[in-house]
Amino acid sequence: MPRNCIRETSPKENKIFLWRMDLPNKERRSPENGPRPCCSSLKMFLVALSFAYFAKALSGSYMKSTITQLERRFDIPSYLIGVIDGSFEMGNLLVIAFVSYFGAKLHRPKIIAIGCLLMSLGTFLIALPHFIIGRYKFETSIRSSVNSTSILSPCPLRSASVLSTGPSTSSVPSAGCEHESRLSMWIYVFLGNILRGIGETPVQPLGISYIDDHALEENAAFYIGCVQTISVIGPVFGYLLGSLCAKIYVDIGFVNMDSISITPGDARWVGAWWLGYLIAGFITLLSAVPFWFLPKSLPLPERRLAKYSPERTSFIKDSPLLEHKYQADEPANFLEMAKDFLPTLRSLLGNPVYFLYLCITVIQFNSLIGMVTYKPKYIEQHYGQSASKANFLMGVINIPAVALGMFSGGVIMKKFKLSIMGAAKFALGTSLLGYFLSLFFFAMGCENANVAGITRSYNGTDSLYKVDSSLLASCNAGCQCPEANWDPVCGENGLTYVSPCLAGCRTSHGSGKDTVFEECSCVAGGNQTASVGQCNNRESCHRVFPYFLALSVITSFIISLGGTPGYMLLIRCIRPQLKSLALGFHTLTTRTLAGIPAPIYFGAIIDTTCLKWGHKKCGGRGACRIYNTTAYRIAYLGLTLGLRTASFFLCVLGLVVLRRHVQRQERNTLANGGTGAAAGELQALRKEENNSCNLDQCPRTTDYDPERETRL
C-alpha cells in the first residue's frame, strides 16, 4: 500500500488524537515543574546517561589499572587487592535491590544524580591516603649518594658470630612500627570504593529502564547499544589515564628524581596513582549536573501511541503499569510498595528463562571480572612490560575492540530485527567462537626471568623454582646480605641477582640509575660488573607478545558482539512491570556472586605462583616481586576458560527452556483469544516482525496486551 506524507486521517486516528489531548495536564506541565524545557527529551537523557556511564566506567577502569601500584604502595598481596576491588560490589549489594524497586516509582533522573555525587565523593576518598601517609620508601640494600664517586661496600663482611648463626634477615621492625601497624591506609581505599559502589547503583537499572519505557521498541536495542558503547569508551580513557599516571613517580615534586634508582619497569616502582582518582572524581561530579534538570517522565512517542486501539483507552488510563510508563507517577506509598516487594520478587524468580539467564551470567561474569581485573598484571609479569605500557595497550587496543563489538551487536539486532530466540542463538554463537579462539592463549607462553637462586642456579645452568628459600651460595657466603630485600642488579653474564650483595659485589661507583657495581664474585666471566635493574633478555616474550595482542583484540570483539543481544534477552523475557526490578536484581546477583568473590579467589590463586615476596619494614609479607610465569599462565588462563566451559552447559539448557517458553506463549495467546483480540494481537505481532515498511512513515496499529512477556 503506498504511503504519502500528506493523507487524510481515519476515525480511529482521530480518536487516538483526542485521547492524547485528553491526557492529564501533568503530562505536559505541572505546578511543581512548570512547562517542560526543550531539553526534556529522550535524546537529552541519552546524552546525560551516556556521560554518567562514561564517568563511572572511567573511574572503574582506572581502579583496575592501579592494582599493581596499590599492591606496592601499601605492601599487600593480590588477594587483598581483590578484596579492595570487590568492595565496589559490596556497596552495590547494600542498596541495589531497594534502589531498583523503589527508585523505579520515584524521580529516576534525580536519584541517578544523587548516585553520581556519591561516586564522586568515594573517588576522592580513595586518593586521601596519599596526603596523610609518609613518603614512599622502597626496598634497597644500598644508599644512593649524588655527586659521590664511592659509597659503602654493597657486600659488608660477615663476622664470626654471624657466620655461626646463619643467614641474615631484615625482618627486625623499624622505629615507629607500633603506630604504623595499627593504621592500614588501604582501608581508606576500601571504604571509598564501597561508596563508589553505592553511588553507581541507580545508574544502570533506572537509566536503562527509563530508556526502554520511553523509546520505541524497535529503537530500544539501538539506544541501549549506544549507551553500552559509551560505557566501554570510558575504560579507554581510564586505562590511558592509568598509563600516564603510572609513568609519574608517586612522590613527584617532593623528592629529587636524580636520587631515585628505580625505573617504571621495576617491581618496586609506584606511580602517581592518587592523581588519576582526583581527575576521575571531578569528571564524575560533572556527570551529576544534567540529571537535576530532566523530568520524571517523558511524553509518549507518536508511533508508540498508534499501537493502542481507542477501545482500550480507558484501560490504559486506569492501568497502574501504563500510568507508570507513560505519564508522571503519583507520589508513591512506601508501605504499599514494601508489602508488594517479596511477592514481586517471587514472581520474577519463578520465570525459568530469567532464572537460567541469571545462573549463566553469574558464571560468565566470574570469568570476565577475574580476567579483566588481572589482565594488566598478567601482561606486566608474563611478558615483562611496565605497568604504564600494559595500561596503554589495554586502553588503545583491547577496549576499543570491545566497544566496537557491543555497538555492532546492537546494529545487527536492529537491522535484522532479531527475535528473542534469534538474540539468544546469536549471543551463544559468538561466545562459543570467542571461547575456542581463546584456547590459543595457552600456546603463547613465555619463559621465566633468569634470577640467580630463584629460577636459575648461580652458575646459570640449572633451572630452579625456589620459593623464599635461602639465596646464599659459595660466591656470596662471606657477605652479610639481607635476603628479604629486593634490589635486583643485572650481571654482565645476563643473569639477574636479587641484590648487589647477593651478587657478591665489593665496590660500586656512580649514583641513582647510573650506579655500576664491580668486583662481583658471583658474576662469572668478563669484568665481573653489574648494573641497576633486572636483565631484559627474554627474547621469546618479545616475539610472541604481538600475536598475543592480536588474538586478544579478535576474541574481545567476537565475544562483545553478543553483549547487546544478550542484554535485550534479559529485558524481553520478563513482564514490563518487572523490568526495573529484574535489571536491578540481575546486577545485584552478578555482583554479589561474581564481582565480590572473583577478584579475591583469582588473586589468591595468583599469589600461589609467587617465587619472591617483598617484606614490610615493620615485618610481615608484602607484595610479590617475581612470579613463576608458567604457573601464572596456567592458573590465570585455566581458571578463566574453565568457568566459561561450565557456563556453556547451562546455555544449552537455557536455549531449550526459552524455546518451550516462546512456544507456550504462542499457544496460550491463541487459546485465550481464539479469533478475538488475542489472536489478532499475535497475528499483528507476526506481521510486525515481517513488515518491511518504513517505520518513520508507516505507524502500526497493533493491539497491546500488558501481560505479553516476550516479543515473539
Side-chain angles (χ1 to χ4, degrees):
M1 178 179 179
R3 299 182 299 276
N4 299 320
C5 295
I6 302 176
R7 58 183 178 84
E8 296 183 356
T9 57
S10 65
K12 180 178 289 187
E13 289 171 328
N14 288 332
K15 289 183 180 180
I16 294 174
F17 176 77
L18 292 174
W19 170 73
R20 287 207 66 210
M21 297 299 293
D22 193 44
L23 283 173
N25 288 333
K26 64 181 178 180
E27 180 70 29
R28 301 285 191 256
R29 70 175 69 217
S30 64
E32 180 180 348
N33 298 326
R36 287 189 174 176
C38 62
C39 66
S40 300
S41 65
L42 182 60
K43 290 183 179 179
M44 289 304 301
F45 182 83
L46 281 172
V47 172
L49 186 66
S50 297
F51 186 45
Y53 262 67
F54 172 83
K56 77 181 184 70
L58 183 145
S59 58
S61 59
Y62 184 75
M63 165 64 76
K64 303 285 187 188
S65 74
T66 58
I67 61 170
T68 54
Q69 313 294 314
L70 297 176
E71 276 186 32
R72 298 166 186 172
R73 185 64 184 94
F74 301 113
D75 266 326
I76 53 179
S78 294
Y79 84 89
L80 202 49
I81 281 293
V83 173
I84 294 175
D85 188 74
S87 63
F88 179 85
E89 322 300 345
M90 297 176 192
N92 271 264
L93 173 62
L94 295 175
V95 296
I96 192 169
F98 300 100
V99 167
S100 301
Y101 184 70
F102 294 113
K105 303 173 184 294
L106 302 173
H107 198 301
R108 285 179 281 185
K110 287 187 177 179
I111 294 178
I112 294 174
I114 294 173
C116 291
L117 290 176
L118 290 177
M119 278 196 293
S120 177
L121 181 61
T123 308
F124 289 134
L125 181 60
I126 292 175
L128 181 62
H130 173 75
F131 300 97
I132 59 179
I133 198 173
R135 299 285 173 256
Y136 174 57
K137 297 179 181 179
F138 52 86
E139 295 173 325
T140 181
S141 58
I142 63 170
R143 293 182 180 180
S144 178
S145 179
V146 183
N147 298 327
S148 176
T149 58
S150 63
I151 59 176
L152 296 176
S153 172
C155 176
L157 297 178
R158 288 176 180 268
S159 63
S161 60
V162 173
L163 287 171
S164 63
T165 57
S168 171
T169 63
S170 62
S171 59
V172 179
S174 303
C177 284
E178 290 184 3
H179 174 70
E180 183 171 339
S181 62
R182 299 192 189 102
L183 189 61
S184 297
M185 289 296 155
W186 63 265
I187 293 295
Y188 290 95
V189 183
F190 178 82
L191 295 176
N193 214 27
I194 287 181
L195 194 57
R196 278 188 58 243
I198 294 174
E200 192 265 352
T201 302
V203 177
Q204 181 180 7
L206 300 188
I208 296 298
S209 64
Y210 193 92
I211 291 175
D212 197 63
D213 284 350
H214 300 100
L216 295 171
E217 286 188 7
E218 59 268 19
N219 291 335
F222 178 73
Y223 290 155
I224 293 175
C226 290
V227 173
Q228 297 286 2
T229 301
I230 296 297
S231 72
V232 181
I233 293 177
V236 174
F237 291 89
Y239 279 107
L240 290 179
L241 181 62
S243 175
L244 176 63
C245 293
K247 290 181 180 179
I248 305 172
Y249 187 66
V250 59
D251 293 322
I252 186 71
F254 296 95
V255 296
N256 182 3
M257 292 303 298
D258 292 333
S259 66
I260 303 300
S261 61
I262 57 177
T263 62
D266 195 285
R268 297 161 296 171
W269 176 271
V270 176
W273 59 275
W274 52 273
L275 180 60
Y277 286 111
L278 295 181
I279 297 173
F282 179 72
I283 294 175
T284 308
L285 184 63
L286 290 180
S287 70
V289 175
F291 291 103
W292 294 107
F293 303 98
L294 288 168
K296 187 176 183 180
S297 61
L298 298 175
L300 188 65
E302 297 288 339
R303 286 183 288 124
R304 195 156 186 171
L305 274 174
K307 291 187 177 182
Y308 304 100
S309 60
E311 291 81 2
R312 293 180 132 175
T313 299
S314 60
F315 167 76
I316 293 175
K317 284 185 176 181
D318 297 335
S319 170
L321 165 65
L322 296 178
E323 181 179 348
H324 162 65
K325 291 186 71 172
Y326 303 124
Q327 56 186 342
D329 293 344
E330 297 290 346
N333 187 320
F334 282 92
L335 183 59
E336 292 180 2
M337 290 191 294
K339 290 180 179 179
D340 192 43
F341 178 73
L342 288 180
T344 305
L345 183 61
R346 190 181 304 113
S347 173
L348 177 65
L349 295 178
N351 185 330
V353 178
Y354 178 80
F355 183 77
L356 278 173
Y357 183 91
L358 204 60
C359 295
I360 292 168
T361 51
V362 164
I363 298 175
Q364 291 194 343
F365 271 52
N366 269 273
S367 174
L368 176 66
I369 292 173
M371 183 269 293
V372 171
T373 300
Y374 293 101
K375 190 168 186 177
K377 182 171 181 174
Y378 179 76
I379 294 175
E380 290 178 49
Q381 299 296 333
H382 196 75
Y383 295 102
Q385 307 296 324
S386 67
S388 176
K389 186 173 181 180
N391 291 328
F392 178 80
L393 293 172
M394 285 285 291
V396 301
I397 295 180
N398 204 236
I399 301 300
V402 175
L404 181 61
M406 296 189 72
F407 178 78
S408 301
V411 172
I412 290 173
M413 190 169 183
K414 176 179 172 63
K415 181 176 179 62
F416 295 99
K417 297 182 174 62
L418 295 180
S419 64
I420 188 172
M421 280 300 301
K425 292 177 181 178
F426 182 77
L428 177 59
T430 56
S431 184
L432 277 171
L433 180 58
Y435 168 80
F436 288 122
L437 289 175
S438 297
L439 295 176
F440 289 99
F441 284 125
F442 283 104
M444 298 179 180
C446 196
E447 76 274 8
N448 283 287
N450 296 325
V451 182
I454 298 179
T455 62
R456 293 283 178 183
S457 61
Y458 273 88
N459 58 20
T461 57
D462 301 326
S463 296
L464 304 174
Y465 293 101
K466 293 184 177 181
V467 180
D468 281 343
S469 59
S470 176
L471 298 175
L472 295 179
S474 58
C475 60
N476 57 28
C479 301
Q480 186 178 348
C481 301
E483 297 182 54
N485 283 357
W486 176 259
D487 189 18
V489 294
C490 178
E492 62 177 341
N493 59 351
L495 196 61
T496 299
Y497 298 87
V498 173
S499 68
C501 182
L502 289 170
C505 301
R506 306 289 178 177
T507 61
S508 65
H509 67 272
S511 62
K513 302 183 185 69
D514 299 324
T515 302
V516 176
F517 301 93
E518 299 173 332
E519 300 181 26
C520 302
S521 58
C522 294
V523 180
N527 296 322
Q528 292 187 320
T529 61
S531 56
V532 174
Q534 286 185 249
C535 297
N536 188 16
N537 53 4
R538 302 165 70 187
E539 295 299 329
S540 62
C541 291
H542 299 304
R543 287 196 300 268
V544 78
F545 187 56
Y547 298 102
F548 169 82
L549 291 178
L551 185 59
S552 180
V553 169
I554 294 172
T555 54
S556 298
F557 173 78
I558 292 175
I559 294 174
S560 301
L561 277 174
T564 302
Y567 204 79
M568 293 308 299
L569 170 62
L570 169 63
I571 293 176
R572 298 304 180 197
C573 74
I574 53 177
R575 293 197 299 272
Q577 61 265 42
L578 298 179
K579 192 181 306 174
S580 290
L581 179 62
L583 290 171
F585 190 78
H586 172 263
T587 305
L588 166 71
T589 306
T590 53
R591 287 180 170 174
T592 303
L593 302 181
I596 295 175
I600 298 175
Y601 67 76
F602 263 79
I605 292 175
I606 289 172
D607 283 339
T608 63
T609 67
C610 182
L611 293 175
K612 173 64 178 175
W613 289 97
H615 287 263
K616 300 178 182 179
K617 69 175 183 178
C618 294
R621 194 171 73 175
C624 184
R625 300 308 188 191
I626 184 172
Y627 290 88
N628 182 340
T629 56
T630 302
Y632 194 143
R633 181 177 72 254
I634 295 174
Y636 175 74
L637 296 178
L639 190 56
T640 299
L641 297 178
L643 288 169
R644 288 174 60 188
T645 302
S647 71
F648 289 134
F649 292 101
L650 285 178
C651 285
V652 175
L653 178 61
L655 206 59
V656 173
V657 172
L658 179 61
R659 184 186 299 276
R660 293 178 180 176
H661 179 75
V662 172
Q663 292 173 349
R664 184 169 59 252
Q665 286 293 110
E666 291 181 349
R667 290 195 300 268
N668 290 343
T669 303
L670 292 173
N672 293 335
T675 58
E681 179 183 332
L682 181 61
Q683 293 174 359
L685 283 169
R686 287 174 174 168
K687 181 179 179 181
E688 179 183 342
E689 293 288 342
N690 299 321
N691 195 352
S692 60
C693 70
N694 188 329
L695 295 175
D696 292 333
Q697 299 178 4
C698 183
R700 296 188 177 92
T701 58
T702 306
D703 290 344
Y704 175 77
D705 184 353
E707 294 301 319
R708 174 167 54 91
E709 293 188 5
T710 60
R711 184 179 180 186
L712 305 177

